[in-house]
Amino acid sequence: MKFLHLADLHIGKRVLAYSMLEDQRYIFQQITDAAQKEEIDAVLIAGDIYDTSSPSEEALRLFENFLLRFDELRIPVCLIPGNHDSDMRLAFGSDFMKRHGVHIARPYSGHSDPVVFWDEWGEVHVHLLPFVRKRDVQRCFPDAVLNNEDDVLRTAVEALHVDCSVRNILVAHQFVHGGAISDSEERIGGLDGADPGVFALFEYTALGHLHRPQHIGMPNIRYCGSPLKYSCSEVHHQKNVTIVELRKKSNPVEVREIVVTPRRDMREIRGRFDELWNPVEAELSQDYIHIILTDERSEPDAFLKLRRNYPNLMSLRYERQNGSADLSGIDVLENAESMNPEDMIKELFFKQNRRDMDEKQLSYLRSIIEEVWGTL
């Protein structure tokens, strides 16, 4: 059998001020085209279908159309809720959906029957394990000793009562020890995650949560990653979809990737302001851009000026040779109540740039203060 492994769709997500809905619609078309070309037997979606537990109407409609396309192709879909999803909302109408080939994991109850497929080598059992926390498993197994994430996941997997005489696939959305995380993700569950040995009974474990495509220990335990870049920390990721082929039980699974091309890439650009702003020298781009300026001095309104060349500019920060201070510390403003606006801004400037304002900058600051507050 041939499966398409997806996860972390985050439908309806906004990255900074930008809605990703059109980008998601674009990439979903590539995914369904690939499923048709590859003659996929079933789709596995390992959680975080939506970006929030209360998705917008537009997000709901986009996912509905995504599922309808698989229905047109006669490709069944198996999916679970992730930590961003509402398990109750996602499971609404699941019995009806099952009649149309969409198998949705219900909220965790300690037991579930696998979805059963057949091919020339017999049965394949797909086990759908919704995202679980310690409290979910403890509620169902009050006598279980759950000291860490490994105990939690091991208890949940043992409760599946896997039939080892047939081939088995697990679809789960958990943090597993050994996975590399990025800024758009969070460590869910235990600090170090579960041990991948928990999945020893399965021919393939289709994981969701981590956005970078990666194997965990061995090729048959895999995070397929998100289909789009959702943070600056992902600009160097190569996004793809994962194809999994199961043959007879004694054979290892074959796992391969199909690269997908986004409507707009997300990239990071580094350089001086004059290089990036000069229309002659600058690269003009419709991509989602994160800019790092290497100038020693800040350029007034740099973000607005650079958007002329990069209309989808997402963020801008400075990286200076003399180092930039972290302004998140509470000490930065601990004397704020006793300071006037000019002294406060001068101190912040010094902490950020490791030097005092020059006369031109002071004059500009004072004109702004006078405009806003009047003469102090």
Side-chain angles (χ1 to χ4, degrees), residues 77-249:
V77 177
C78 301
L79 63 95
I80 64 170
N83 59 301
H84 279 248
D85 300 308
S86 165
D87 54 1
M88 291 294 292
R89 287 193 176 103
L90 198 62
F92 174 77
S94 56
D95 287 338
F96 176 81
M97 299 284 276
K98 187 186 298 184
R99 298 176 190 175
H100 294 268
V102 179
H103 305 270
I104 305 172
R106 292 181 177 275
Y108 187 72
S109 64
H111 171 76
S112 65
D113 295 321
V115 182
V116 181
F117 297 100
W118 293 266
D119 63 9
E120 61 265 43
W121 293 295
E123 295 183 4
V124 176
H125 290 188
V126 176
H127 299 267
L128 303 180
L129 179 64
F131 168 65
V132 291
R133 292 184 170 90
K134 178 180 177 179
R135 62 176 180 266
D136 304 314
V137 178
Q138 197 78 76
R139 183 184 68 251
C140 297
F141 303 99
D143 296 330
V145 178
L146 307 178
N147 293 320
N148 50 44
E149 180 69 4
D150 191 60
D151 291 340
V152 170
L153 195 53
R154 193 176 299 278
T155 300
V157 167
E158 288 175 354
L160 296 173
H161 301 296
V162 176
D163 180 358
C164 293
S165 68
V166 301
R167 293 162 294 163
N168 291 276
I169 289 176
L170 176 67
V171 184
H173 189 96
Q174 305 290 147
F175 180 61
V176 179
H177 179 69
I181 67 173
S182 60
D183 290 347
S184 58
E185 302 143 5
E186 57 180 311
R187 286 183 181 271
I188 53 177
L191 182 63
D192 296 320
D195 189 284
V198 171
F199 309 121
L201 298 179
F202 302 97
E203 271 66 34
Y204 183 75
T205 299
L207 292 170
H209 180 59
L210 300 188
H211 290 189
R212 181 194 298 272
Q214 56 191 293
H215 299 301
I216 304 297
M218 54 191 68
N220 68 330
I221 304 173
R222 179 170 173 80
Y223 287 102
C224 64
S226 60
L228 289 169
K229 300 174 183 179
Y230 289 135
S231 83
C232 182
S233 64
E234 297 178 35
V235 295
H236 301 299
H237 291 192
Q238 175 62 68
K239 299 298 184 179
N240 54 63
V241 294
T242 296
I243 306 295
V244 183
E245 291 192 56
L246 267 69
R247 297 186 176 85
K248 57 185 178 181
K249 188 170 178 62

Side-chain angles (χ1 to χ4, degrees), residues 330-350:
I330 192 169
D331 63 302
V332 171
L333 296 176
E334 66 177 356
N335 300 318
E337 292 182 358
S338 62
M339 300 172 68
N340 63 42
E342 180 178 324
D343 290 339
M344 185 188 303
I345 295 170
K346 284 163 62 176
E347 181 175 331
L348 289 171
F349 183 91
F350 181 83

